[in-house]
Amino acid sequence: METGVKFTDISLGRSKERRRDDPNTFEYTYKAEITNIHRLTPKESLYRIQILDPEERIRFTFSPGQFVMLELPGIGEAPFSISSPPSRHGDVELCIRSVGNLTNFLSKVGRGARVGIRGPFGTSFPTWEMHGQNVLLVAGGLGLAPLRTPIAYVQENRSRFGDADIVYGTKDPSQLLFTYQYDMWRADDINLRLIVEKGGPSWDGPVGMITTALDEILAAKPPSYFQKTFAIVCGPPVMFKFVCTMLNEREVPMQKMFVSLERRMHCGMGKCCRCNVGSTYTCLKGPVFDYWTVMNLKEAI
Amino acid sequence: MKKRARRHRREEGHGRTDMIFRTLGKAELPKLFGVMAAGGKIVAPVEAGRDRENRPVYVFRETARFEEAALSYTTTKLPAKRYFLPYREDLATFRIEGDDWQKLVDYNVDRPRIFFGLHPCDINALNRLDKVLLNGVYPMPYYVAKRKNMFIVGIDCLPQPYCFCRSMGADTALHGFDMFLTDLGDDYFVEILSDTAYNFLRCVRTSEPGEDDHARYMKAVSRKNDKFIAHVDTTDLTKILDMEFQSEVWKQWGDRCLACGTCANVCPTCYCYGVEETVSVDLGSARKTKTLYSCNLLDFAEVAGGHNFRPERHVRLKYRYYHKHRGFVEAYEEPLCVGCGRCGESCLAGITVPEVIASVRGEGA
Amino acid sequence: MTDRNAGGTFLGVPLYRPRTAFFELASCEGCQLQVLNNEATLAPFLGLLEIVNFREAMTGGTDDYEIAFVEGSVSRKDEEDLLKEIRGNARVLVALGSCACFGGVNRLKDRFDPDWTRKTVYGEAPVESGRARPLEDLVAVDLKIYGCPVKKEEVEKVVTNIALGKAVVSPKYPVCMECKANENICLFDLGEPCLGPVTRAGCDSWCPNSRAGCWGCRGPAEDANVEQLEKIMQEHGFAQETILDRLECFGGFARFAEAFRRRRREGAE
Amino acid sequence: MKVDCRIDIRNLTRVEGHGNILIRIHDGRVQEARWEVVETPRFFEAMLVGKRWENVPWICGRICGICSVGHTLASIRAIEHAFGIVPSGLTEKLRLLLKHMETLQSHILHLYFLSAPDYLAAGSVFPLIESSPDVVARAMRIKQLANDLVDSVGGRRMHPTRTVVGGFTMLPEKEELVPFRDRLKKAVDDLLMTAVLFGSFAVPEFSRETEYVSLKGVADYPFIGGDLVSTDGVLRGEDEYREMTNEYIVPQSTAKWARLSRASFAVGALARLNNNFDLLHPLAKEVALNFRLRPVQHNPFMNVTAQLVECVHVVMRSMDLLEELLDGELREARPKVSPKAGAGVGAVEVPRGILYHYYEFDDTGHVRKCDCVIPTGQNHANIQHDLEELAADCLRKGMDDGRIELLAQMLVRAYDPCISCSVH
Ligand SMILES: Cc1cc2nc3c(=O)[nH]c(=O)nc-3n(C[C@H](O)[C@H](O)[C@H](O)COP(=O)(O)OP(=O)(O)OC[C@H]3O[C@@H](n4cnc5c(N)ncnc54)[C@H](O)[C@@H]3O)c2cc1C
Ligand code: SF4
Ligand code: SF4
Ligand code: SF4
C-alpha cells in the first residue's frame, strides 16, 4: 500500500500546439526580432517585429484592436496595440512612444534586436459586422496607432464600406503620426481630417480641438448617416468623454461605438488585476469596449 | 448537512469522488500525523509567539512534530499564502548571452506538501482562487502547480468574534480538501475525499460512524452556528454597492486608511500582483519577479507618464470592496472574501469588512 | 579602476558607465561604507562605474566626474561651498542616505538654541556650526537613496539601472507591505511602536525583521497617513513622546514632527 | 640635508573623516608639523539631552558607521549601568561575538583597503581587483564572514537592529549559525596568508616613547568593560574614565584632545596588545612574535601589525564562542527596563581603541548629560607628537619630499583614525 503524496507535474511537455488553457502558455514568449525601426517623431517609432520560428509565425494570428505584451529581459514588459494589418502573420508593427523603462530602452535598440512577445490578447473591433456600414475613426495623439489596423482593413476591403472618415488631432503638427501614409489613405477614398491644437509656421491646416473637426464632419453628413455608422474612438481619456457624448447626441447606436481603454497591465491574462475598471479586466473584456459597456463600468472614463 | 455531504462530488483531483465517512479516535491522530510526515513535508498551524496580551500568535509553518501543531488554533495572522501564492516569486529568469537571451521558466514547486489543519474558510479561499487562477482561459501555472501539490487535511473550528465566514458562504468546506476532521469530543469525524487520504487512514485505526456519531456531528455543527457574532448582510449587495458608488462613507473610511496594503497581504483570497524585471549586477542574468500587490497602494493603477486612475485613498479602498463583493460575485456567484476576518484584525486603522459594508448599506458604523 | 564594462552593451544597447565621485559632509560615513559592504558583488558593482573620486577608499581625485554621490548633511559654510562646487561639476547629484536626504539624526541638535548646543560641547571655544540641512535645501538633487544606513541592494539596483538607462525609483508604499511579505509578527501586536505604516518601503522591513519597530529612517511614504498613525499609536497606549521621538529621529518626518509639537503646544495652552 | 620642504595635505585620503597634514621645513629646521582635524561637529552630546533612554543607543550608534556595533554596545552598557541592569550570560556572549566580528571587519578593511595600497604603491584597492584578484578575494572573504555574522546576530552589519538595553530583540536560529564554523576555520587560513603578505612589507623604522591606554583584561584579552590601564602604570575603574582621558580643546581640531601621564597617549590595537599581550590566543601570540611584536612596542606603524594579530585572536575566540552558543539554548526573555535616576559609563574597546559613553538620567529616564570619548580623539594629540618627531627624523635622514609626504600619511593612517567619529 502506498501512503505518500505523489508529485503532480503540470508542465505538459513540449507540445508545439499551445492552447490558451494550457497553463504553459502563461509565460510563453515568442522569440522575435526587430526587423525594422521607423522613427515617426522624436518620441514615437514604428517597430516591425517578426517571430523567429517560421512555424510559430504562421500560427500567430490576431484581430484588429488586439494587443501583445512586448518584453525585453530585465528591462520590462508592457502591452502595445498591434498597429499593422491582420493579413500579415507573425509579423507585427507596433507604434511605441518613449515614456518609461521599456519604451525608452526600445528607443535605443537597433535593427536585429531580440525581443519577446506574448499574445495576442484582448478583444477586437468587429470588422466583419461593419461591412456595409459607414466607418468613422476618431483618434487623438497616439490613439492613431491601434486605428491603423482597422484603417488597413478598410483599405483592403474598401468596397465593403460606405463612407470612411478619419478625424485625427494632435497637440501640434510635429506630433502627427504616419504622415507618409495620408496620401495613400486618401487615394483609397478615405476622408482624412487633421487638426492640431497649436499650429506652427509650416502648418496651414485647421487649428483647434478635435471636437471642432468632428463637428464639421458630422455637420456635413445626412441624418441617415448616423444609424448606419460604426465609430471607433481612440485617444486620451479626456477625449473619449467629449467625442462619445457628441456621437451619442447624434444617436450613433451605443453598440456601434467603440473605444479602446488603456490601463496599467502586468499580465494581459486577467490575473494581476492592475487593469481592472470597477471589477472588469481591461485585458480580457477589453481593451476594445462598446460604449454601452463603458457607460456601465464604474470609473471607466 | 448530511444531504449536501453525500451529494457533492469533488471537482478536482483523482480517485474516489464519493465522500466516505469514518471516525478516528483522538489518540490515533499523532500516529496519522506521523504516517503523513513520513510521506511528505507537513505544514501546520504553530504557535510563533505571544502578543502583548499574552494571546498566542499562530502561523502556518513546516513542522515534523505533532506536538507543535496547534490544532485548536484560532486564526493564523497570515494565511498559508506563501505556499500557494508566494509574496515574491520569479516568473522567469533570463540568461543573457551577448545580444541574445534565453528565457527560463520554473513554476517553483518540487514536491507536494501536506497541509494539516486548514479551517473551512481557508479551504474555501483556495476554492475561490481556483476559479480565477486554475480554471478559465488562462490558468496561472505557478499557482496550479502548487495547488495540485497540496494535500489538505481540514479541521473544524469555533467562530471568533471577528469571523463572518457564514455570511460569505464559507463556513463549511464542501470540496477542495482531501480529508476533513470534525471534533466530536473523544473522536474526530472524518470526511474523506481522495484515495491518498483513504490510504493514509488505512495505516491507523478508524471505524465506521454509527447513528450516534452522526448525531454528535450534527450537534457539533449547530454548536458552531450559534457562536457567530459578526455578520454581513449580503442581500442585494452588488446593486447597493453600485447605487452607493458616490456615497460619502467611502471618504470617511479613506481618511482612516493608511494605504499600507496589510489587508491584502493577510487576505487568503487577494491575488493582485505587480511584475518587475531586474538585471543582475554582473549583467549576466535577469529576472522577472512577481510581487503580490495591493489595490490600496498609491500606484496600483498609475501608468507611465504619471496618470493615476485612482489617486485617492478612498477610491482605492472602495475598489477593493468592488472587486471582492461586486465584480467577483457577478462573475462567479460568490464573493472573493471568505469572512476569515484577518484583514479587520490586522488593519491598524480598524477597518473591518462588516463595518464597512454596514455603513455602505446606511446602517451606520 | 577596472575597465571590465568599458564599451559594454546590454542586449545591444551601450551601457552608460559614468565617471563617479563620492563625497561626504557631516555624517558617520556609514552609507559610503555600505557601498563597499557587499563583498559578494563588489567587483561587478565597481565594474559598472568608473570611480574617479572616493576619498575614503582611494588617493587621487579629480573634478572631472558625471555622477556625484554625496553623503551627509550640511551645516557649515565650507560644506555649503563644497556642495555647490560638486553640483557645478556633476551632471547627476545623488543624495546618499538619510543625512543627505533629510538632514538625518544631525538635525536633532536643532531642537536647541545653537549657542547652548555649542557651549554644551565646546564651552567658550569658537566652533562654527549652523543648522543641519539636507542637500536639497541648498542645491538641486537629482536622485535620493534613502535609509540610515542605505541598503546595499538598493544602491546596486540604482547603479545597475543607471548603467542600463532605467529609471531609478523607490517604492511609494510603506514598510508594512514588505513586513507582511516577510511574515513578521506586527510590532503593534507585540506592544511595540512602529513607523512602518507611514515610512517609505525599500529597506525590506529591515528593523521589523529583527522585531524592532521602524524609526522612519527612509522618510514618509507617498500618501503617508501620519495623522491616522498618531491616533492609532495613542490608542495603543504609546506616549505622545514616543511618537514624536520616532517622527523626529531621522529628519524625514520633520514636517510632521513640527506639526506635532505645534499641536502639543497648543493643546497645553 | 633637507633645507626646504612644504607638505600640505588637505583631506587626507583613505581614512574615515576629514583631516589635514601640514609640514613646513625651512632652513633645515622643522618649523611646523601639524595634524588638523576640520570635520564638522554634529553635537551628539547636546542632541541627546532631553531624549528618553530608548532613543539613546539608536542615535549614538550613528556617531560612526564603521564601529556602529561598538558605539551601540558602549551606549547600552552605560545605560545598563545607570539603571542597574545586569545582562544575561547569553547576552554577553552574543555581544562579544558581535564585537569580535566588528573588530575583524574593521581591521581587515584597514589592512587591505586603506593600508596595503601604501605598501603596494597603489592609490587604492581598486586596481588590485584586476592585478591581484586572489588577494582581494581573500580580503573579501574574511570581511564578508565578519559582516554576515553580524547580520545574523545583530540584525544588520551596520547600525545593528537587534541590540537593545537588556539584551536582544531577537536571537539567531542555530541552523543559521552552524555554517559559520567552517567559515571561521577558513578565515584562520586566510589570516595566516595575510600575515605572509604583510610580512613582506617593510614597516618604516620609527619609534617614539609613548604611554598606551586600554582596558585591562582579566581572564581574556579585553573588549567590553573592566578596569582601565596604561603602560605608565595608571590603573582606574571604568567609571573613572574622565581621569584617564582629561579631554581639552585645541584650536587646530574640532575633536577634543586627551592626555594622561605625558603630553599625549595612544589607544588602539597596539595599546591593547602592549597591555594585554599574555592574554592573546596562543596562535595570535605566535603571529605577533613572528613579526617581532612584543610589549612594549613603541613604533606606531606597528599598530597595523597589531591589528593583524588581533584578527587572529578574535577569530580563534569566536570559534570558541560559537561552540558555546551552539551547545546551549538560544532563547531568552527580554527583560523589562525600568528607568531610574542615575549615571553610568560604558567602556568598550572598538577597533581604534577604547571608547567611553557616559550618561546621566533623571528619574523618568531622560538624558540630563551625555559625554562620549572617542578613541581617535584620544589619539589626536599623539598623532601630532608623532608627526613632529617623524618630520624631524626624516629631516635627519635627509629624505626627499615625496618620501616624507608618504611617511606622514602612512603614519596617520597607521592609527586608522576615525575622524568624523572623534568629532561627533
Ligand atoms: C491595451 C494597451 C495598448 C497600448 N498600446 C500602446 C501603443 O500602441 N503604443 C504605445 O506607445 N503605448 C501603448 N500602451 C501604453 C504602454 O503600455 C505604456 O506606455 C507602457 O506600459 C510603458 O511601459 P514602460 O516600461 O516604458 O514604462 P514604466 O513607467 O517604466 O512602466 C513600468 C510598467 O508599468 C506598466 N505600465 C505603465 N504604464 C502603463 C500603461 N499606460 N499601460 C499599461 N501598463 C503600463 C507596465 O507593465 C510597464 O512595464 C498601451 C497600453 C495598453 C493597456
Ligand atoms: S484598509 Fe487597513 S490594512 Fe488595508 S490598506 Fe487601509 S489601513 Fe491598511
Ligand atoms: S510591524 Fe510595523 S511595518 Fe510591520 S506590519 Fe506592523 S506596523 Fe507594519
Ligand atoms: S525599518 Fe524603518 S528605520 Fe529600519 S531601515 Fe527600514 S525604514 Fe529605516
Side-chain angles (χ1 to χ4, degrees):
Chain A
M1 181 182 55
E2 38 160 338
T3 52
V5 184
K6 278 201 292 298
F7 178 69
T8 312
D9 191 355
I10 67 141
S11 47
L12 302 180
R14 294 178 166 275
S15 102
K16 277 254 170 187
E17 205 52 54
R18 291 183 182 276
R19 288 171 290 115
R20 298 164 102 199
D21 56 356
D22 165 358
N24 295 297
T25 57
F26 196 85
E27 266 302 326
Y28 187 76
T29 308
Y30 294 108
K31 191 97 173 264
E33 179 179 311
I34 297 183
T35 53
N36 194 33
I37 302 169
H38 181 107
R39 189 128 303 186
L40 300 173
T41 74
K43 292 231 103 184
E44 284 107 356
S45 293
L46 186 68
Y47 297 81
R48 183 173 302 150
I49 297 169
Q50 189 176 58
I51 293 175
L52 288 175
D53 183 312
E55 277 181 45
E56 284 185 341
R57 208 180 297 154
I58 292 165
R59 272 204 314 278
F60 185 94
T61 57
F62 68 93
S63 312
Q66 286 196 291
F67 66 94
V68 290
M69 296 294 283
L70 178 75
E71 177 168 38
L72 269 171
I75 306 298
E77 187 182 40
F80 299 98
S81 306
I82 302 172
S83 195
S84 49
S87 48
R88 289 219 303 264
H89 282 197
D91 182 357
V92 294
E93 282 175 350
L94 307 178
C95 171
I96 295 176
R97 173 181 288 175
S98 306
V99 285
N101 282 336
L102 175 70
T103 49
N104 285 334
F105 196 87
L106 272 171
S107 72
K108 288 181 275 183
V109 304
R111 226 180 260 163
R114 297 288 158 92
V115 299
I117 56 176
R118 292 193 292 124
F121 298 117
T123 52
S124 53
F125 306 115
T127 32
W128 34 270
E129 276 180 31
M130 290 153 67
H131 290 176
Q133 305 258 325
N134 305 308
V135 283
L136 172 62
L137 308 175
V138 189
L142 193 56
L144 189 62
L147 289 192
R148 197 165 160 259
T149 311
I151 293 173
Y153 185 85
V154 172
Q155 281 179 290
E156 286 171 9
N157 304 278
R158 186 64 190 89
S159 60
R160 298 210 165 93
F161 296 91
D163 287 2
D165 292 273
I166 303 174
V167 186
Y168 178 38
T170 58
K171 284 234 158 55
D172 63 63
S174 73
Q175 295 184 4
L176 289 168
L177 299 172
F178 303 112
T179 45
Y180 61 99
Q181 292 201 302
Y182 297 168
D183 286 343
M184 268 144 62
W185 294 345
R186 289 190 172 116
D188 279 325
D189 192 24
I190 297 173
N191 175 32
L192 174 66
R193 176 74 63 111
L194 301 173
I195 187 160
V196 297
E197 280 173 34
K198 220 174 102 226
S202 63
W203 181 252
D204 53 7
V207 174
M209 303 304 282
I210 192 155
T211 39
T212 321
L214 182 62
D215 226 7
E216 283 168 23
I217 295 248
L218 297 182
K221 300 289 183 192
S224 61
Y225 171 86
F226 298 100
Q227 282 294 321
K228 278 199 69 169
T229 295
F230 269 88
I232 303 180
V233 186
C234 259
V238 272
M239 191 199 99
F240 286 139
K241 219 191 223 137
F242 289 105
V243 171
C244 290
T245 316
M246 275 174 73
L247 295 173
N248 198 27
E249 277 165 6
R250 297 229 170 36
E251 292 183 1
V252 174
M254 283 188 175
Q255 294 89 336
K256 289 192 185 179
M257 269 158 62
F258 292 89
V259 301
S260 178
L261 293 189
E262 231 180 68
R263 287 294 187 277
R264 187 168 183 136
M265 278 178 197
H266 287 258
C267 69
M269 291 176 288
K271 298 289 174 279
C272 75
C273 299
R274 304 301 284 270
C275 69
N276 285 20
V277 179
S279 35
T280 301
Y281 287 96
T282 308
C283 64
L284 294 180
K285 295 274 168 67
V288 175
F289 290 97
D290 66 28
Y291 189 56
W292 166 248
T293 311
V294 167
M295 286 249 302
N296 286 290
L297 286 180
K298 297 283 171 207
E299 61 171 27
I301 312 192
Chain B
M1 219 58 243
K2 202 161 67 187
K3 245 203 294 177
R4 69 98 183 139
R6 291 219 185 275
R7 211 175 343 104
H8 274 279
R9 284 164 174 268
R10 198 179 177 206
E11 288 181 356
E12 284 299 322
H14 32 67
R16 287 180 174 276
T17 47
D18 282 321
M19 183 136 356
I20 293 180
F21 301 129
R22 304 292 290 177
T23 52
L24 174 77
K26 278 199 171 163
E28 286 292 290
L29 198 61
K31 197 168 161 211
L32 180 65
F33 189 95
V35 171
M36 288 184 176
K41 291 264 180 196
I42 296 189
V43 173
V46 164
E47 186 181 320
R50 294 266 162 172
D51 72 7
R52 70 200 138 112
E53 267 135 45
N54 201 32
R55 289 172 308 203
V57 175
Y58 297 108
V59 297
F60 287 111
R61 184 189 287 164
E62 260 180 22
T63 175
R65 302 205 345 255
F66 178 74
E67 318 81 71
E68 236 194 357
L71 294 179
S72 51
Y73 72 113
T74 49
T75 310
T76 53
K77 282 279 165 198
L78 291 155
K81 215 163 173 172
R82 79 165 117 154
Y83 299 105
F84 50 87
L85 278 178
Y87 290 96
R88 296 188 191 103
E89 179 171 30
D90 281 343
L91 295 179
T93 49
F94 299 88
R95 250 201 328 268
I96 309 294
E97 299 160 342
D99 291 351
D100 204 357
W101 47 268
Q102 291 302 324
K103 183 172 185 173
L104 310 163
V105 174
D106 185 349
Y107 302 145
N108 312 317
V109 57
D110 53 357
R111 58 187 145 86
R113 276 208 179 82
I114 295 159
F115 291 79
F116 204 100
L118 290 195
H119 285 164
C121 57
D122 282 346
I123 297 173
N124 280 310
L126 284 161
N127 291 341
R128 291 183 193 187
L129 282 175
D130 286 351
K131 295 185 168 175
V132 188
L133 302 176
L134 193 143
N135 304 317
V137 277
Y138 295 107
M140 177 123 205
Y142 307 87
Y143 174 82
V144 178
K146 293 176 189 72
R147 177 71 166 122
K148 297 238 175 193
N149 283 296
M150 289 175 93
F151 177 92
I152 295 175
V153 182
I155 195 159
D156 71 331
C157 55
L158 278 184
Q160 300 301 309
Y162 46 80
C163 294
F164 57 99
C165 50
R166 202 171 163 73
S167 308
M168 297 292 119
D171 52 332
T172 52
L174 306 181
H175 61 92
F177 55 85
D178 294 83
M179 180 191 303
F180 196 94
L181 307 173
T182 305
D183 194 336
L184 299 183
D186 299 333
D187 305 296
Y188 285 109
F189 187 80
V190 190
E191 300 164 58
I192 307 162
L193 275 190
S194 76
D195 55 349
T196 315
Y198 188 80
N199 282 341
F200 275 132
L201 281 166
R202 278 163 56 176
C203 302
V204 296
R205 222 178 13 215
T206 62
S207 51
E208 185 76 31
E211 272 311 314
D212 69 317
D213 291 323
H214 291 173
R216 279 198 293 164
Y217 175 79
M218 283 182 278
K219 208 147 112 220
V221 171
S222 63
R223 200 169 50 236
K224 172 174 172 175
N225 287 345
D226 297 340
K227 286 258 158 63
F228 282 101
I229 297 171
H231 296 279
V232 170
D233 183 357
T234 55
T235 326
D236 266 346
L237 186 57
T238 53
K239 280 179 222 162
I240 291 169
L241 283 172
D242 260 4
M243 289 187 278
E244 297 304 320
F245 194 77
Q246 304 295 356
S247 166
E248 274 298 305
V249 296
W250 291 117
K251 279 232 169 59
Q252 290 160 21
W253 293 114
D255 285 345
R256 279 167 71 169
C257 177
L258 297 157
C260 66
T262 291
C263 44
N265 278 324
V266 303
C267 174
T269 58
C270 270
Y271 59 89
C272 305
Y273 65 87
V275 174
E276 193 189 18
E277 302 215 5
T278 48
V279 180
S280 64
V281 189
D282 64 9
L283 309 180
S285 63
R287 56 184 71 234
K288 182 177 192 182
T289 311
K290 167 190 176 213
T291 311
L292 291 191
Y293 223 69
S294 161
C295 50
N296 282 25
L297 304 183
L298 178 64
D299 57 356
F300 185 81
E302 190 180 273
V303 296
H307 182 72
N308 192 340
F309 287 94
R310 294 187 205 104
E312 292 158 297
R313 278 201 294 272
H314 75 270
V315 177
R316 298 195 296 273
L317 185 117
K318 177 166 72 179
Y319 165 79
R320 185 159 185 269
Y321 282 83
Y322 267 71
H323 186 196
K324 287 187 169 293
H325 298 277
R326 179 183 173 276
F328 201 84
V329 180
E330 281 179 348
Y332 302 108
E333 276 147 15
E334 54 185 6
L336 184 64
C337 168
V338 289
C340 68
R342 284 188 179 98
C343 60
E345 280 295 282
S346 284
C347 175
L348 288 168
I351 303 176
T352 71
V353 176
E355 283 180 84
V356 170
I357 292 187
S359 75
V360 175
R361 300 186 75 102
E363 286 157 17
Chain C
M1 216 35 261
T2 57
D3 265 2
R4 194 187 325 265
N5 287 316
T9 61
F10 185 78
L11 302 179
V13 172
L15 295 172
Y16 176 50
R17 189 158 170 273
R19 294 171 64 76
T20 306
F22 286 85
F23 297 96
E24 64 288 309
L25 306 171
S27 66
C28 77
E29 302 201 7
C31 288
Q32 277 194 52
L33 188 64
Q34 277 291 86
V35 171
L36 301 176
N37 238 349
N38 200 353
E39 295 77 14
T41 52
L42 188 62
F45 173 80
L46 292 174
L48 293 174
L49 301 169
E50 190 191 342
I51 299 186
V52 297
N53 210 329
F54 197 151
R55 197 197 45 76
E56 202 174 345
M58 68 191 277
T59 299
T62 158
D63 288 340
D64 178 19
Y65 46 82
E66 295 163 271
I67 297 196
F69 287 82
V70 183
E71 181 195 20
S73 64
V74 190
S75 52
R76 263 187 348 202
K77 181 75 176 65
D78 58 328
E79 291 171 324
E80 226 176 290
D81 295 341
L82 174 63
L83 179 63
K84 285 182 180 149
E85 191 188 316
I86 297 169
R87 175 71 273 186
N89 293 335
R91 234 165 41 77
V92 178
L93 193 145
V94 186
L96 183 66
S98 294
C99 297
C101 293
F102 310 124
V105 286
N106 305 345
R107 251 175 116 135
L108 285 171
K109 76 167 198 309
D110 297 333
R111 291 178 304 165
F112 302 111
D113 167 51
D115 235 31
W116 178 87
T117 308
R118 190 175 41 77
K119 280 198 185 118
T120 304
V121 180
Y122 290 102
E124 293 309 321
V127 173
E128 180 197 346
S129 167
R131 288 189 315 112
R133 282 170 297 172
L135 306 189
E136 65 182 359
D137 268 16
L138 296 147
V139 296
V141 170
D142 303 299
L143 269 179
K144 289 182 195 160
I145 305 183
Y146 302 103
C148 180
V150 295
K151 186 127 191 166
K152 183 56 206 289
E153 288 77 0
E154 215 180 0
V155 179
E156 280 171 5
K157 192 168 159 185
V158 168
V159 169
T160 313
N161 281 5
I162 288 174
L164 294 168
K166 284 176 77 170
V168 175
V169 282
S170 289
K172 296 181 178 175
Y173 49 77
V175 174
C176 283
M177 211 35 212
E178 297 172 334
C179 186
K180 282 283 169 290
N182 286 322
E183 310 195 23
N184 297 322
I185 300 176
C186 178
L187 268 310
F188 282 93
D189 283 337
L190 295 174
E192 299 271 337
C194 180
L195 284 197
V198 292
T199 301
R200 187 189 291 275
C203 63
D204 198 27
S205 60
W206 232 350
C207 299
N209 294 353
S210 285
R211 223 168 270 171
C214 169
W215 283 74
C217 76
R218 299 173 56 87
E222 279 167 46
D223 202 24
N225 197 345
V226 179
E227 270 186 38
Q228 181 61 30
L229 185 67
E230 284 166 11
K231 276 190 212 138
I232 292 167
M233 288 183 55
Q234 274 170 27
E235 280 162 21
H236 274 76
F238 297 117
Q240 294 209 341
E241 190 185 3
T242 305
I243 305 165
L244 185 59
D245 275 350
R246 300 219 168 199
L247 285 179
E248 72 182 3
C249 189
F250 288 102
F253 288 90
R255 184 163 58 87
F256 299 96
E258 273 152 33
F260 194 92
R261 276 187 191 283
R262 202 174 327 111
R263 254 177 288 135
R264 217 159 57 138
R265 232 179 295 123
E266 281 158 12
E269 271 160 22
Chain D
M1 187 111 220
K2 189 97 209 107
V3 185
D4 281 322
C5 163
R6 194 184 174 92
I7 291 167
D8 186 351
I9 300 165
R10 302 271 148 192
N11 294 336
L12 176 64
T13 58
R14 282 187 281 127
V15 293
E16 199 276 358
H18 299 89
N20 306 334
I21 298 174
L22 286 166
I23 296 179
R24 224 147 35 89
I25 296 175
H26 189 60
D27 272 351
R29 272 189 39 235
V30 177
Q31 293 215 313
E32 191 179 21
R34 235 146 69 98
W35 168 236
E36 285 183 351
V37 168
V38 293
E39 188 74 40
T40 318
R42 288 167 290 156
F43 297 97
F44 273 87
E45 283 135 336
M47 74 166 78
L48 279 162
V49 174
K51 279 283 174 194
R52 243 158 22 102
W53 63 274
E54 274 176 319
N55 293 269
V56 176
W58 194 248
I59 295 173
C60 275
R62 266 74 185 175
I63 290 180
C64 179
I66 301 184
C67 38
S68 58
V69 168
H71 276 281
T72 307
L73 292 182
S75 177
I76 288 173
R77 186 173 168 87
I79 298 171
E80 286 174 351
H81 279 165
F83 295 169
I85 295 168
V86 181
S88 73
L90 179 58
T91 289
E92 285 191 332
K93 278 181 198 157
L94 290 165
R95 284 179 181 168
L96 186 57
L97 187 57
L98 279 178
K99 194 76 250 333
H100 282 349
M101 289 303 107
E102 175 179 84
T103 306
L104 182 63
Q105 99 80 31
S106 172
H107 282 358
I108 288 293
L109 179 77
H110 184 242
L111 286 164
Y112 278 95
F113 282 57
L114 310 182
S115 185
D118 281 334
Y119 290 100
L120 297 168
S124 74
V125 76
F126 302 142
L128 302 180
I129 296 178
E130 294 281 277
S131 61
S132 322
D134 49 330
V135 172
V136 177
R138 188 196 308 140
M140 294 297 189
R141 205 158 42 231
I142 310 173
K143 201 163 149 308
Q144 184 164 14
L145 154 74
N147 274 333
D148 288 352
L149 193 44
V150 176
D151 281 352
S152 291
V153 175
R156 69 176 164 202
R157 54 195 58 190
M158 186 180 297
H159 301 317
T161 49
R162 295 184 184 175
T163 41
V164 287
V165 175
F168 284 82
T169 56
M170 200 175 168
L171 302 184
E173 300 283 338
K174 278 191 185 172
E175 300 87 84
E176 215 180 322
L177 293 180
V178 171
F180 286 107
R181 269 190 184 137
D182 287 344
R183 293 178 68 183
L184 284 165
K185 224 179 272 156
K186 175 88 183 108
V188 180
D189 299 339
D190 282 339
L191 285 171
L192 295 179
M193 292 295 289
T194 308
V196 174
L197 175 72
F198 277 77
S200 69
F201 298 160
V203 179
E205 273 175 41
F206 170 79
S207 185
R208 190 180 69 83
E209 278 259 331
T210 302
E211 179 177 23
Y212 290 97
V213 174
S214 76
L215 282 175
K216 180 173 168 25
V218 182
D220 195 1
Y221 197 81
F223 282 99
I224 303 180
D227 285 342
L228 319 173
V229 68
S230 101
T231 44
D232 283 5
V234 184
L235 184 68
R236 294 257 186 265
E238 192 170 349
D239 51 1
E240 297 170 308
Y241 79 98
R242 250 188 222 105
E243 284 143 58
M244 210 68 183
T245 52
N246 310 301
E247 280 192 313
Y248 60 103
I249 296 167
V250 290
Q252 77 197 67
S253 164
T254 43
K256 293 176 189 167
W257 285 17
R259 71 180 141 222
L260 187 56
S261 321
R262 314 174 184 218
S264 69
F265 64 87
V267 296
L270 191 56
R272 282 191 291 262
L273 189 137
N274 277 335
N275 281 315
N276 300 281
F277 189 77
D278 290 335
L279 294 170
L280 279 171
H281 185 276
L283 186 63
K285 211 182 279 179
E286 198 184 313
V287 172
L289 292 174
N290 279 343
F291 279 92
R292 279 194 296 277
L293 172 58
R294 55 165 63 85
V296 173
Q297 170 61 251
H298 288 285
N299 180 351
F301 291 94
M302 286 298 270
N303 190 46
V304 182
T305 318
Q307 289 183 333
L308 174 59
V309 171
E310 287 195 337
C311 286
V312 177
H313 174 85
V314 297
V315 168
M316 297 312 289
R317 286 288 187 249
S318 299
M319 285 163 71
D320 301 341
L321 272 174
L322 191 69
E323 290 313 318
E324 286 172 36
L325 290 169
L326 290 172
D327 278 348
E329 230 209 322
L330 274 184
R331 201 179 285 274
E332 77 177 351
R334 196 172 137 192
K336 190 127 192 65
V337 176
S338 353
K340 61 176 192 207
V345 179
V348 167
E349 284 284 358
V350 289
R352 287 153 197 82
I354 191 163
L355 162 71
Y356 309 95
H357 279 226
Y358 165 85
Y359 314 119
E360 246 174 73
F361 291 102
D362 64 15
D363 51 5
T364 51
H366 289 81
V367 176
R368 257 208 313 238
K369 207 164 162 343
C370 162
D371 183 28
C372 303
V373 185
I374 312 299
T376 299
Q378 300 166 63
N379 276 334
H380 282 318
N382 212 54
I383 296 176
Q384 171 65 39
H385 287 108
D386 273 358
L387 201 64
E388 288 166 12
E389 178 77 29
L390 181 78
D393 195 47
C394 292
L395 183 66
R396 268 196 302 277
K397 292 178 182 155
M399 289 179 190
D400 62 38
D401 291 15
R403 181 74 189 154
I404 301 177
E405 181 165 343
L406 177 67
L407 279 180
Q409 296 192 30
M410 281 171 71
L411 173 76
V412 177
R413 270 185 211 124
Y415 281 86
D416 190 6
C418 201
I419 302 167
S420 60
C421 175
S422 72
V423 175
H424 60 285

